[in-house]
Amino acid sequence: SQTIHQWPATLVQPVGSPLSLECTVEGTSNPNLYWYRQAAGRGLQLLFYSVGIGQISSEVPQNLSASRPQDRQFILSSKKLLLSDSGFYLCAWSVGGQGNGYTFGSGTRLTVV
Amino acid sequence: GDSVTQMEGPVTLSEEAFLTINCTYTATGYPSLFWYVQYPGEGLQLLLKATKADDKGSNKGFEATYRKETTSFHLEKGSVQVSDSAVYFCARDYGQNFVFGPGTRLSVLP
């Protein structure tokens, strides 16, 4: 079966520290992969998406970067966190054409202090 | 550009009340439409979907009908339960990506 793993579930980091969030997908090949951020009480903001290894599209210029070193691995990083980076980060994947929808991971709640 | 609009929340209902959460989308192309649900502290789960006009998606007592003439995909449930308390997101696909509405928080009181 197809599953998506995202970790850690919760993270508290000081301002200026680096960040690495990892997402892996099982049971599918060549998925489209996505990173979303959800700030407190707000909607979803698409940060990055990837249609293949090494292919990253950035939707919003910011303090974050993404990488896809393997087909089913998607990493969200930052060299120096800002307070405004706090939020709920969601990884998602999709395959195929229209109508298939996204499958989301369980999310990482990041608090920058 | 393409967008999805949802009714502003929060919505507070008593148990067994009828629920409607309105959703409209911009009519570029022929999108597939989705409702996602986010329970407290969790990621989003696909609730239901419809891929063409007049299709009705349904799951867990929730329903939504793809109305091309009104560009709408309103979510309905005849009798809500406390366990339905969550944030509901309407979405449409757009190329490789999706466009989500801002979400509507539903609170159901016993």
Side-chain angles (χ1 to χ4, degrees), chain B residues 65-87:
Chain B
T65 301
Y66 190 141
R67 302 287 188 198
K68 187 179 178 183
E69 63 276 12
T70 54
T71 63
S72 65
F73 193 53
H74 304 324
L75 182 68
E76 296 181 338
K77 187 173 185 180
S79 177
V80 294
Q81 306 300 312
V82 172
S83 57
D84 293 327
S85 297
V87 180

Side-chain angles (χ1 to χ4, degrees), chain A residues 45-60:
Chain A
Q45 179 186 36
L46 177 63
L47 302 176
F48 301 95
Y49 70 93
S50 171
V51 299
I53 296 174
Q55 301 178 58
I56 308 295
S57 296
S58 174
E59 291 295 303
V60 182

Side-chain angles (χ1 to χ4, degrees), chain B:
Chain B
D2 290 84
S3 65
V4 174
T5 304
Q6 283 180 245
M7 62 188 293
E8 292 289 330
V11 175
T12 303
L13 296 173
S14 298
E15 204 164 24
E16 299 184 2
F18 184 86
L19 168 71
T20 300
I21 300 178
N22 290 340
C23 170
T24 57
Y25 63 93
T26 53
T28 302
Y30 302 94
S32 295
L33 302 173
F34 306 83
W35 276 101
Y36 283 84
V37 58
Q38 184 180 31
Y39 298 104
E42 298 183 11
L44 276 70
Q45 302 174 26
L46 178 63
L47 180 60
L48 53 84
K49 68 178 183 181
T51 57
K52 61 183 187 299
D54 300 325
D55 269 2
K56 177 186 285 188
S58 61
N59 186 25
K60 299 181 180 180
F62 291 89
E63 293 183 338
T65 301
Y66 190 141
R67 302 287 188 198
K68 187 179 178 183
E69 63 276 12
T70 54
T71 63
S72 65
F73 193 53
H74 304 324
L75 182 68
E76 296 181 338
K77 187 173 185 180
S79 177
V80 294
Q81 306 300 312
V82 172
S83 57
D84 293 327
S85 297
V87 180
Y88 293 82
F89 292 90
C90 186
R92 59 157 289 169
D93 58 9
Y94 179 66
Q96 298 281 10
N97 302 327
F98 279 65
V99 178
F100 286 88
T104 302
R105 182 174 299 278
L106 170 66
S107 296
V108 180
L109 306 178

Side-chain angles (χ1 to χ4, degrees), chain A residues 94-108:
Chain A
S94 70
V95 291
Q98 287 185 336
N100 290 331
Y102 281 2
T103 299
F104 282 87
S106 54
T108 296

Side-chain angles (χ1 to χ4, degrees), chain A residues 10-54:
Chain A
T10 305
L11 192 59
V12 180
Q13 292 284 96
V15 169
S17 64
L19 173 73
S20 181
L21 302 181
E22 188 161 344
C23 173
T24 59
V25 178
E26 294 179 3
T28 186
S29 296
N30 197 30
N32 296 331
L33 297 172
Y34 307 83
W35 277 111
Y36 280 85
R37 177 169 61 200
Q38 186 178 28
R42 307 177 89 174
L44 294 161
Q45 179 186 36
L46 177 63
L47 302 176
F48 301 95
Y49 70 93
S50 171
V51 299
I53 296 174

